[in-house]
Amino acid sequence: MRKFLALVIIVACSIGMPLAAQSQMKADRSGTWAGTMTTEAGTSGLEITLSRQGEAWQATAKVRAQGQESDRPISDLKVAAGEISFALQLPRAVAKFAGTFAGSDKLSGTVEVFQESTKIRSGTFALTLGGSMPATQQTGGQQADPDFKATVDKPAYKKNGPKVLFDEAHHNFHTASGRYKPFADLISSDGYQITPNQENFSASVLQGFRVLVISNALGAQLMADPNAANPAFTVAECEAVHEWVEKGGSLLLIADHAPMGSANEILAERFGVNMSKMFTIDPENSDTESKNPGFIVYTRESGRLADHAVTNGRNADERVNKVIAFTGQSLKGPADSIAFMKLADSAKDAMPGVNPDPISAAGRAQGIVMKVGKGKVIVLGEAGMLSAQVVTVQGTQVRFGMNRPGIDNRQLALNIMHWLSGLLK
């Protein structure tokens, strides 16, 4: 009888306070949930960190897609009765999630992606408490070099540096937290204050910023999508940027080989810049080590790296003597622009599978600088030159960009920002 009573007491205790505590623990979904999100656009990583203050829930989110990992604003968060719903702000779109918790460590559900009121994609997501997003997958095996030294020993601005708006609202292949993180880290170390942009350009969005950086905007999220070549900007956005520059703003517009040229053409033309929208090669002036005709070398000695404030810097230590562009397109600026990265007469524009006979790119460039009204503009036809990336080729990691030994791309990046922000005249 005593044993029976003892057993009853033990059972009662196990289903009393401990059970209530267990129930409370299960109801408390605090922690980091991570896993995959799959839509018609492909599979990407999703991470949500939930925390609770009293009865109020809070959350932060990260998305990993196309080799880029970025924080995303979260809104409309609701957690109740084993269910969760929330919205994430994506570049030019909103993703709405609805999920159900299973057990103590599983969360799955559906996602719908909207542009304004139109649903453009749908899919599912599956997360695990304490899990992780899938490993970074990047087009062409490209990833930011984690060993790149981004520290500037003598920053141009020690405090309250110029404010830089870094575009991430137009399906950008390069973002401040993704492939262009080395560039963002470098200019941040130099004193610039970076703000990622998640909105369409307008006078109010651009107000208060000294420099606007746009790198490889696209018309669709995936580069392989045929819609990626569609205009990345509206006519109204282009007009807003042009007016902002005329009033004193500075624009760094970077548009790589196809399909980037087509996606950025509408904005470039607003400043009188023609983009070839192809791939530029020059076997006679390319990097001999890589044996890639698209890795074009520019030197001061050859005269194709022009004498300009952007290449001269503020002193001899900032002088740029050799730059490599890592496969881009050619540009032609207006009459009052200066080509500081001039292509040789042997350069050609090619479009594999489209034009079997490459077109001469003589008289064109991959770096153009100009003044527009009270503002300044630099247009680059290649983005890798200001990155610091590693790519795996036949099992071997190869560095290209500012991290490549023997070139001055790192200093060129700083000089470009110094000219745009007014340190260089």
Side-chain angles (χ1 to χ4, degrees):
M1 188 66 174
R2 288 180 179 177
K3 291 182 178 179
F4 176 75
L5 288 174
L7 179 60
V8 170
I9 293 171
I10 291 171
V11 172
C13 290
S14 66
I15 63 175
M17 288 296 293
L19 184 58
Q22 287 181 359
S23 177
Q24 185 176 2
M25 287 178 63
K26 288 183 178 180
D28 184 3
R29 307 298 184 178
S30 299
T32 298
W33 303 75
T36 60
M37 171 176 64
T38 303
T39 68
E40 295 90 341
T43 299
S44 54
L46 174 64
E47 179 183 288
I48 310 168
T49 300
L50 295 172
S51 60
R52 192 172 186 176
Q53 294 184 350
E55 295 299 317
W57 285 95
Q58 296 178 336
T60 59
K62 292 182 179 181
V63 172
R64 180 181 289 170
Q66 287 193 310
Q68 303 181 47
E69 183 176 306
S70 59
D71 297 327
R72 290 296 173 191
I74 195 166
S75 61
D76 301 329
L77 174 67
K78 296 179 182 178
V79 182
E83 296 182 344
I84 184 173
S85 62
F86 57 93
L88 287 186
Q89 182 66 51
L90 303 175
R92 306 185 78 177
V94 175
K96 297 182 179 180
F97 296 79
T100 303
F101 294 97
S104 60
D105 64 347
K106 301 296 181 185
L107 170 59
S108 60
T110 60
V111 56
E112 295 179 320
V113 183
F114 294 84
Q115 282 186 336
E116 296 182 349
S117 60
T118 303
K119 183 168 73 173
I120 58 173
R121 287 189 295 276
S122 61
T124 60
F125 69 96
L127 312 180
T128 302
L129 181 62
S132 59
M133 292 186 286
T136 301
Q137 298 295 322
Q138 299 190 350
T139 303
Q142 300 173 24
Q143 59 181 337
D145 185 352
D147 299 323
F148 174 68
K149 181 182 179 295
T151 304
V152 177
D153 295 332
K154 296 179 180 179
Y157 301 94
K158 294 184 178 179
K159 61 179 180 179
N160 301 322
K163 293 182 179 180
V164 177
L165 188 64
F166 207 115
D167 184 40
E168 299 185 0
H170 300 89
H171 304 299
N172 302 75
F173 188 74
H174 292 117
T175 62
S177 59
R179 293 181 181 87
Y180 251 38
K181 187 177 186 299
F183 174 78
D185 289 347
L186 179 69
I187 66 173
S188 292
S189 180
D190 203 33
Y192 293 89
Q193 303 177 69
I194 294 177
T195 298
N197 172 58
Q198 305 293 343
E199 303 179 64
N200 284 358
F201 298 133
S202 65
S204 59
V205 168
L206 296 167
Q207 186 177 8
F209 291 95
R210 182 63 183 273
V211 182
L212 170 62
V213 176
I214 304 172
S215 183
N216 279 342
L218 288 166
Q221 183 177 2
L222 299 177
M223 195 188 301
D225 188 331
N227 293 320
N230 291 346
F233 316 100
T234 66
V235 173
E237 286 183 285
C238 296
E239 188 58 38
V241 172
H242 188 270
E243 185 176 342
W244 173 77
V245 170
E246 282 193 319
K247 292 180 179 179
S250 292
L251 170 65
L252 173 57
L253 175 62
I254 307 170
D256 224 311
H257 55 69
M260 282 77 159
S262 296
N264 289 267
E265 182 179 29
I266 184 173
L267 181 56
E269 287 184 340
R270 190 64 187 84
F271 291 94
V273 176
N274 172 265
M275 294 185 165
S276 73
K277 299 175 287 185
M278 293 187 272
F279 292 74
T280 302
I281 59 173
D282 186 357
E284 294 183 23
N285 294 282
S286 60
D287 178 53
T288 56
E289 179 184 345
S290 63
K291 298 179 181 179
N292 186 329
F295 284 17
I296 301 175
V297 180
Y298 297 85
T299 64
R300 188 177 293 272
E301 182 181 8
S302 68
R304 294 188 302 105
L305 198 59
D307 186 52
H308 185 271
V310 168
T311 58
N312 293 338
R314 293 171 294 177
N315 51 53
D317 292 336
E318 296 182 354
R319 188 176 175 86
V320 174
N321 294 305
K322 181 180 180 181
V323 169
I324 296 180
F326 298 88
T327 307
Q329 65 164 327
S330 71
L331 311 168
K332 182 69 174 180
D336 59 349
S337 66
I338 297 173
F340 67 90
M341 291 175 63
K342 305 174 187 177
L343 285 163
D345 290 346
S346 53
K348 297 182 182 297
D349 286 322
M351 194 66 178
V354 178
N355 62 324
D357 299 319
I359 302 169
S360 173
R364 297 175 69 84
Q366 288 194 303
I368 292 173
V369 59
M370 69 185 91
K371 293 184 178 180
V372 178
K374 296 179 180 179
K376 298 179 176 181
V377 176
I378 288 181
V379 184
L380 300 179
E382 200 280 312
M385 69 175 92
L386 300 190
S387 71
Q389 302 182 62
V390 290
V391 59
T392 301
V393 179
Q394 298 180 346
T396 302
Q397 282 195 331
V398 178
R399 287 176 167 78
F400 70 95
M402 298 185 294
N403 55 345
R404 195 178 185 92
I407 59 177
D408 301 321
N409 290 40
R410 184 182 189 276
Q411 187 60 54
L412 177 65
L414 292 172
N415 288 358
I416 284 174
M417 292 302 297
H418 293 170
W419 188 80
L420 289 173
S421 63
L423 278 180
L424 292 172
K425 304 301 181 181

